[in-house]
Amino acid sequence: MTSFGRQFGLNAATYDNVRPGYPDELFDMLADILPTGATVLEIGAGTGIATRELLGRGLRVLAVEPDDEMARQLSRQTVGDLEVVITDFESYRGARRSFDAVVSTQAWHWFAGAWALRCVKRLLRHDGIFAAWWNIGTVTDDRLGRELAAVFQETNHRLPVLFRRPDLNETIDELGRLLHEDLGFSRVEPLRYLSSVQYEPWKFVALMSTMSDVLALESDDRERVLGRLSDRLGDQVLEVEYMTLGHLAFRC
């Protein structure tokens, strides 16, 4: 994971409060596939947004998270059969453990694809599953969507990756290609779910403050971007449509 991926802890509590979750149907599907009490390795668990859903369905989770503050927030906010390891996935060796499932939520783009996939296969039991997925956001009001893009263009910065559909689509397609070409997986299925969230202006600005592209800015630049965004939004409520996309693969 790059150093940018370790900046989320600057705003861990806000991240946990405002980042969107994932559809219940996705977690229900995973729980139906896995045996009762299955052990799941979660890569880049963050503050536990997905972790809590997995635990709530009776699964045991080992959460790997490189950022100290994110891991502390995860431990404070999460109850269940949970073990937290503070390290990055590249350094995690698993201590000869194997898992019924390996999952990655909104994080796989931080890793080197083919190498990381080899690590996943080593950690999976032969009948285990690997699932990786992302939320991709679109502001449903076209005018507000253009306002959002304009703020970042005016300050010479990129729109946060959560809203850069082409970039995430490319990442998802590349993962699908690697999975289909890898003889270690017997079946690969697409994941696709649709949901939406309404945001008060302050909460949307808070959401933007948790984005890696924004956290990577110098503090003055970050405040300028978020201030302009707040001014542009005024008191307008935004609806964001989230397409949750990814892949589910079955280990041979």
Side-chain angles (χ1 to χ4, degrees):
M1 179 175 282
T2 70
S3 60
F4 282 169
R6 295 186 178 89
Q7 296 190 30
F8 294 113
L10 296 172
N11 220 358
T14 300
Y15 185 107
D16 196 52
N17 288 331
V18 302
R19 280 291 184 116
Y22 308 98
D24 288 341
E25 304 96 296
L26 193 164
F27 295 104
D28 291 341
M29 177 271 295
L30 293 176
D32 287 344
I33 292 173
L34 292 168
T36 302
T39 302
V40 179
L41 172 65
E42 185 181 2
I43 304 169
T47 60
I49 292 170
T51 316
R52 292 188 283 273
E53 298 293 341
L54 295 166
L55 291 168
R57 287 160 175 80
L59 303 172
R60 296 181 294 163
V61 179
L62 189 151
V64 173
E65 170 53 45
D67 187 283
D68 290 357
E69 287 301 321
M70 298 288 274
R72 276 192 278 271
Q73 183 75 18
L74 165 60
S75 297
R76 283 195 297 265
Q77 297 291 104
T78 308
V79 177
D81 195 343
L82 171 68
E83 179 182 351
V84 179
V85 178
I86 304 176
T87 188
D88 53 32
F89 182 52
E90 294 89 338
S91 301
Y92 181 68
R93 293 292 180 262
R96 299 183 179 177
R97 298 175 69 168
S98 60
F99 299 87
D100 298 296
V102 176
V103 303
S104 172
T105 65
Q106 211 77 24
W108 189 256
H109 55 285
W110 293 109
F111 309 113
W115 177 88
L117 204 55
R118 288 195 295 272
C119 293
V120 165
K121 286 192 297 181
R122 179 176 58 81
L123 292 163
L124 272 178
R125 298 190 175 113
H126 287 299
D127 56 350
I129 62 171
F130 168 58
W133 65 85
W134 292 259
N135 280 332
I136 305 176
T138 302
V139 176
T140 57
D141 184 309
D142 288 342
R143 183 183 63 79
L144 288 177
R146 289 193 296 271
E147 292 281 349
L148 170 64
V151 166
F152 286 89
Q153 289 169 358
E154 290 165 3
T155 53
N156 297 314
H157 299 299
R158 295 197 304 170
L159 196 65
V161 69
L162 182 69
F163 293 90
R164 295 204 307 268
R165 184 180 293 265
D167 288 3
L168 283 176
N169 278 342
E170 183 177 341
T171 299
I172 294 165
D173 290 345
E174 173 64 11
L175 174 59
R177 183 187 66 78
L178 289 171
L179 288 168
H180 280 287
E181 291 178 355
D182 195 311
L183 297 179
F185 294 96
S186 61
R187 190 165 91 249
V188 181
E189 298 178 358
L191 299 173
R192 184 182 179 90
Y193 301 89
L194 184 64
S195 59
S196 65
V197 177
Q198 286 198 332
Y199 293 95
E200 296 289 337
W202 68 267
K203 192 168 186 178
F204 187 78
V205 173
L207 173 67
M208 291 296 101
S209 77
T210 70
M211 300 294 163
S212 59
D213 302 272
V214 175
L215 290 169
L217 301 176
E218 296 293 335
S219 59
D220 288 348
D221 283 347
R222 185 163 60 244
E223 291 305 315
R224 184 167 62 253
V225 167
L226 295 174
R228 287 194 183 185
L229 180 58
S230 181
D231 291 342
R232 287 289 186 93
L233 294 179
D235 60 357
Q236 300 173 89
V237 174
L238 292 84
E239 182 181 44
V240 177
E241 181 180 271
Y242 288 108
M243 186 70 73
T244 304
L245 299 174
H247 296 284
L248 171 67
F250 295 78
R251 181 82 162 91
C252 293

Short mmCIF file of all heavy atoms in Angstrom, two decimals, residues 147-160 213-214 217-218 220-229 232:
data_model
loop_
_atom_site.label_atom_id
_atom_site.label_comp_id
_atom_site.label_asym_id
_atom_site.label_seq_id
_atom_site.Cartn_x
_atom_site.Cartn_y
_atom_site.Cartn_z
N GLU A 147 -21.05 21.32 -10.46
CA GLU A 147 -20.50 22.23 -9.45
C GLU A 147 -19.35 21.54 -8.70
O GLU A 147 -18.31 22.14 -8.43
CB GLU A 147 -21.58 22.65 -8.46
CG GLU A 147 -22.66 23.55 -9.06
CD GLU A 147 -22.19 24.99 -9.18
OE1 GLU A 147 -21.12 25.33 -8.63
OE2 GLU A 147 -22.88 25.77 -9.85
N LEU A 148 -19.57 20.28 -8.35
CA LEU A 148 -18.54 19.52 -7.64
C LEU A 148 -17.28 19.41 -8.49
O LEU A 148 -16.16 19.68 -8.01
CB LEU A 148 -19.07 18.12 -7.32
CG LEU A 148 -18.06 17.08 -6.80
CD1 LEU A 148 -17.49 17.53 -5.46
CD2 LEU A 148 -18.72 15.71 -6.66
N ALA A 149 -17.44 19.04 -9.76
CA ALA A 149 -16.28 18.91 -10.64
C ALA A 149 -15.57 20.25 -10.82
O ALA A 149 -14.34 20.32 -10.86
CB ALA A 149 -16.73 18.36 -11.99
N ALA A 150 -16.35 21.33 -10.91
CA ALA A 150 -15.78 22.66 -11.13
C ALA A 150 -14.88 23.09 -9.99
O ALA A 150 -13.83 23.72 -10.20
CB ALA A 150 -16.88 23.68 -11.36
N VAL A 151 -15.28 22.78 -8.75
CA VAL A 151 -14.47 23.16 -7.59
C VAL A 151 -13.07 22.58 -7.70
O VAL A 151 -12.07 23.27 -7.46
CB VAL A 151 -15.15 22.71 -6.28
CG1 VAL A 151 -14.18 22.80 -5.10
CG2 VAL A 151 -16.39 23.53 -6.00
N PHE A 152 -12.98 21.32 -8.08
CA PHE A 152 -11.67 20.68 -8.18
C PHE A 152 -10.90 21.17 -9.40
O PHE A 152 -9.68 21.34 -9.35
CB PHE A 152 -11.83 19.16 -8.18
CG PHE A 152 -12.18 18.61 -6.83
CD1 PHE A 152 -13.50 18.48 -6.43
CD2 PHE A 152 -11.18 18.25 -5.93
CE1 PHE A 152 -13.83 18.00 -5.17
CE2 PHE A 152 -11.50 17.76 -4.66
CZ PHE A 152 -12.83 17.65 -4.29
N GLN A 153 -11.59 21.43 -10.49
CA GLN A 153 -10.93 21.95 -11.68
C GLN A 153 -10.34 23.34 -11.42
O GLN A 153 -9.22 23.64 -11.83
CB GLN A 153 -11.91 22.00 -12.85
CG GLN A 153 -12.29 20.63 -13.39
CD GLN A 153 -13.46 20.67 -14.35
OE1 GLN A 153 -14.03 21.73 -14.60
NE2 GLN A 153 -13.83 19.52 -14.88
N GLU A 154 -11.11 24.19 -10.74
CA GLU A 154 -10.67 25.55 -10.47
C GLU A 154 -9.44 25.59 -9.58
O GLU A 154 -8.66 26.55 -9.62
CB GLU A 154 -11.80 26.34 -9.81
CG GLU A 154 -12.96 26.64 -10.75
CD GLU A 154 -14.20 27.10 -9.99
OE1 GLU A 154 -14.12 27.23 -8.74
OE2 GLU A 154 -15.24 27.32 -10.64
N THR A 155 -9.29 24.59 -8.73
CA THR A 155 -8.14 24.56 -7.83
C THR A 155 -7.04 23.63 -8.34
O THR A 155 -6.09 23.32 -7.61
CB THR A 155 -8.59 24.11 -6.42
OG1 THR A 155 -9.29 22.86 -6.52
CG2 THR A 155 -9.50 25.15 -5.79
N ASN A 156 -7.18 23.19 -9.60
CA ASN A 156 -6.17 22.35 -10.25
C ASN A 156 -5.94 21.02 -9.53
O ASN A 156 -4.80 20.56 -9.41
CB ASN A 156 -4.84 23.11 -10.39
CG ASN A 156 -4.97 24.33 -11.27
OD1 ASN A 156 -5.56 24.27 -12.35
ND2 ASN A 156 -4.43 25.45 -10.81
N HIS A 157 -7.02 20.44 -9.05
CA HIS A 157 -6.93 19.14 -8.40
C HIS A 157 -7.93 18.17 -9.03
O HIS A 157 -8.92 18.59 -9.62
CB HIS A 157 -7.21 19.26 -6.89
CG HIS A 157 -6.24 20.15 -6.18
ND1 HIS A 157 -4.89 19.90 -6.14
CD2 HIS A 157 -6.43 21.31 -5.48
CE1 HIS A 157 -4.29 20.85 -5.45
NE2 HIS A 157 -5.20 21.72 -5.04
N ARG A 158 -7.62 16.89 -8.87
CA ARG A 158 -8.49 15.87 -9.45
C ARG A 158 -9.71 15.61 -8.57
O ARG A 158 -9.63 15.69 -7.34
CB ARG A 158 -7.74 14.54 -9.62
CG ARG A 158 -6.61 14.59 -10.61
CD ARG A 158 -6.19 13.21 -11.03
NE ARG A 158 -5.83 12.35 -9.89
CZ ARG A 158 -5.61 11.05 -9.99
NH1 ARG A 158 -5.73 10.44 -11.16
NH2 ARG A 158 -5.27 10.35 -8.94
N LEU A 159 -10.81 15.29 -9.20
CA LEU A 159 -11.99 14.84 -8.49
C LEU A 159 -11.63 13.58 -7.71
O LEU A 159 -10.90 12.72 -8.21
CB LEU A 159 -13.10 14.53 -9.50
CG LEU A 159 -14.54 14.39 -9.01
CD1 LEU A 159 -15.04 15.72 -8.46
CD2 LEU A 159 -15.43 13.92 -10.15
N PRO A 160 -12.07 13.42 -6.45
CA PRO A 160 -11.73 12.22 -5.67
C PRO A 160 -12.11 10.93 -6.40
O PRO A 160 -13.09 10.88 -7.14
CB PRO A 160 -12.55 12.40 -4.39
CG PRO A 160 -12.66 13.88 -4.23
CD PRO A 160 -12.81 14.40 -5.64
N ASP A 213 -7.43 11.74 -2.22
CA ASP A 213 -6.96 12.83 -3.06
C ASP A 213 -6.98 14.16 -2.31
O ASP A 213 -6.15 15.04 -2.57
CB ASP A 213 -7.84 12.95 -4.31
CG ASP A 213 -7.87 11.67 -5.12
OD1 ASP A 213 -7.00 11.51 -5.98
OD2 ASP A 213 -8.74 10.83 -4.86
N VAL A 214 -7.94 14.33 -1.40
CA VAL A 214 -8.04 15.55 -0.60
C VAL A 214 -7.05 15.51 0.56
O VAL A 214 -6.37 16.49 0.85
CB VAL A 214 -9.48 15.75 -0.10
CG1 VAL A 214 -9.57 16.96 0.84
CG2 VAL A 214 -10.43 15.94 -1.28
N LEU A 217 -3.46 16.63 -0.10
CA LEU A 217 -3.16 18.04 -0.34
C LEU A 217 -2.48 18.67 0.87
O LEU A 217 -2.66 18.22 2.01
CB LEU A 217 -4.45 18.81 -0.64
CG LEU A 217 -5.28 18.36 -1.84
CD1 LEU A 217 -6.57 19.18 -1.92
CD2 LEU A 217 -4.49 18.49 -3.13
N GLU A 218 -1.72 19.71 0.62
CA GLU A 218 -1.23 20.53 1.72
C GLU A 218 -2.43 21.11 2.46
O GLU A 218 -3.48 21.34 1.87
CB GLU A 218 -0.33 21.65 1.19
CG GLU A 218 0.95 21.16 0.51
CD GLU A 218 1.90 20.50 1.49
OE1 GLU A 218 1.84 20.82 2.70
OE2 GLU A 218 2.70 19.65 1.05
N ASP A 220 -3.33 24.01 3.55
CA ASP A 220 -3.95 25.23 3.01
C ASP A 220 -4.79 24.91 1.77
O ASP A 220 -5.91 25.43 1.61
CB ASP A 220 -2.89 26.27 2.66
CG ASP A 220 -2.27 26.90 3.90
OD1 ASP A 220 -2.82 26.69 5.00
OD2 ASP A 220 -1.23 27.57 3.76
N ASP A 221 -4.25 24.07 0.89
CA ASP A 221 -4.98 23.68 -0.32
C ASP A 221 -6.24 22.90 0.05
O ASP A 221 -7.30 23.08 -0.54
CB ASP A 221 -4.10 22.81 -1.23
CG ASP A 221 -3.09 23.63 -2.00
OD1 ASP A 221 -3.21 24.87 -2.02
OD2 ASP A 221 -2.16 23.03 -2.56
N ARG A 222 -6.10 22.02 1.03
CA ARG A 222 -7.24 21.20 1.45
C ARG A 222 -8.36 22.09 1.99
O ARG A 222 -9.54 21.92 1.63
CB ARG A 222 -6.78 20.20 2.51
CG ARG A 222 -7.85 19.22 2.93
CD ARG A 222 -7.24 18.02 3.63
NE ARG A 222 -6.52 18.37 4.84
CZ ARG A 222 -5.21 18.20 5.00
NH1 ARG A 222 -4.47 17.70 4.03
NH2 ARG A 222 -4.63 18.52 6.14
N GLU A 223 -8.03 23.05 2.83
CA GLU A 223 -9.04 23.94 3.38
C GLU A 223 -9.67 24.80 2.29
O GLU A 223 -10.88 25.08 2.33
CB GLU A 223 -8.41 24.83 4.46
CG GLU A 223 -8.01 24.09 5.72
CD GLU A 223 -9.16 23.30 6.33
OE1 GLU A 223 -10.28 23.87 6.42
OE2 GLU A 223 -8.96 22.13 6.69
N ARG A 224 -8.88 25.20 1.30
CA ARG A 224 -9.42 26.02 0.21
C ARG A 224 -10.42 25.22 -0.62
O ARG A 224 -11.50 25.72 -0.95
CB ARG A 224 -8.29 26.54 -0.68
CG ARG A 224 -8.78 27.47 -1.80
CD ARG A 224 -7.66 28.23 -2.46
NE ARG A 224 -6.69 27.36 -3.11
CZ ARG A 224 -5.46 27.12 -2.65
NH1 ARG A 224 -5.07 27.67 -1.51
NH2 ARG A 224 -4.64 26.32 -3.30
N VAL A 225 -10.08 23.99 -0.94
CA VAL A 225 -10.98 23.14 -1.73
C VAL A 225 -12.28 22.90 -0.97
O VAL A 225 -13.38 23.05 -1.52
CB VAL A 225 -10.29 21.80 -2.08
CG1 VAL A 225 -11.31 20.80 -2.62
CG2 VAL A 225 -9.18 22.02 -3.10
N LEU A 226 -12.17 22.51 0.30
CA LEU A 226 -13.37 22.20 1.08
C LEU A 226 -14.20 23.45 1.33
O LEU A 226 -15.45 23.40 1.32
CB LEU A 226 -12.97 21.55 2.41
CG LEU A 226 -12.30 20.18 2.29
CD1 LEU A 226 -11.82 19.69 3.65
CD2 LEU A 226 -13.22 19.15 1.64
N GLY A 227 -13.54 24.59 1.50
CA GLY A 227 -14.28 25.85 1.69
C GLY A 227 -15.05 26.24 0.44
O GLY A 227 -16.22 26.66 0.53
N ARG A 228 -14.42 26.12 -0.70
CA ARG A 228 -15.11 26.44 -1.96
C ARG A 228 -16.28 25.48 -2.20
O ARG A 228 -17.34 25.90 -2.68
CB ARG A 228 -14.13 26.37 -3.13
CG ARG A 228 -13.16 27.52 -3.19
CD ARG A 228 -12.46 27.58 -4.52
NE ARG A 228 -11.48 28.64 -4.57
CZ ARG A 228 -10.79 28.97 -5.66
NH1 ARG A 228 -10.98 28.29 -6.79
NH2 ARG A 228 -9.91 29.94 -5.63
N LEU A 229 -16.08 24.23 -1.87
CA LEU A 229 -17.14 23.26 -2.05
C LEU A 229 -18.33 23.61 -1.16
O LEU A 229 -19.49 23.59 -1.61
CB LEU A 229 -16.63 21.86 -1.72
CG LEU A 229 -17.61 20.71 -1.85
CD1 LEU A 229 -18.17 20.63 -3.26
CD2 LEU A 229 -16.95 19.39 -1.46
N ARG A 232 -20.18 26.58 -2.65
CA ARG A 232 -20.94 26.22 -3.86
C ARG A 232 -22.24 25.48 -3.51
O ARG A 232 -23.27 25.68 -4.16
CB ARG A 232 -20.10 25.35 -4.79
CG ARG A 232 -18.98 26.07 -5.51
CD ARG A 232 -19.54 27.00 -6.59
NE ARG A 232 -18.46 27.58 -7.37
CZ ARG A 232 -17.99 27.07 -8.50
NH1 ARG A 232 -18.49 25.94 -8.98
NH2 ARG A 232 -17.02 27.67 -9.15
#
